[in-house]
Amino acid sequence: QVSVLYFARSAELAGLRCETLSVPRQITSLQLWEEIVKVHPRLAVIRDQVVFAVRQEYVLLGDQLLVLQPGDEVAIIPPISGG
């Protein structure tokens, strides 16, 4: 189980700021995103703009293999506009 943290637009789309999800221990970043989208289909609209942070390190969506430990934090960080 991992803690998924949602920020900005991802929190709006998911309807919450954090939750615990059960996912495979070894999973690619893209597969992890797909697991999260199964739970929150509305997140699919930000797929091309989102960045993950796993254990506070940025991870791009793709074939990168993640080895997750119970209690790891996965942050969903959409683009943040500022001015």
Side-chain angles (χ1 to χ4, degrees):
Q1 289 195 333
V2 295
S3 296
V4 183
L5 309 175
Y6 301 93
F7 293 95
R9 180 121 168 90
S10 68
E12 292 171 22
L13 292 169
L16 44 81
R17 298 225 174 259
C18 64
E19 68 182 330
T20 301
L21 293 180
S22 294
V23 295
R25 188 165 181 261
Q26 292 193 18
I27 190 169
T28 68
S29 56
L30 184 57
Q31 289 169 329
L32 179 57
W33 171 251
E34 290 168 350
E35 289 291 318
I36 293 168
V37 170
K38 281 182 197 173
V39 178
H40 302 288
R42 293 177 58 197
L43 290 172
V45 300
I46 61 171
R47 181 205 185 283
D48 293 333
Q49 303 143 1
V50 78
V51 176
F52 271 173
V54 178
R55 294 183 297 272
Q56 300 183 352
E57 293 195 19
Y58 288 113
V59 176
L60 297 176
L61 293 186
D63 296 332
Q64 180 176 347
L65 184 64
L66 306 173
V67 180
L68 301 171
Q69 303 297 326
D72 275 354
E73 284 186 350
V74 176
I76 310 299
I77 305 170
I80 297 173
S81 60

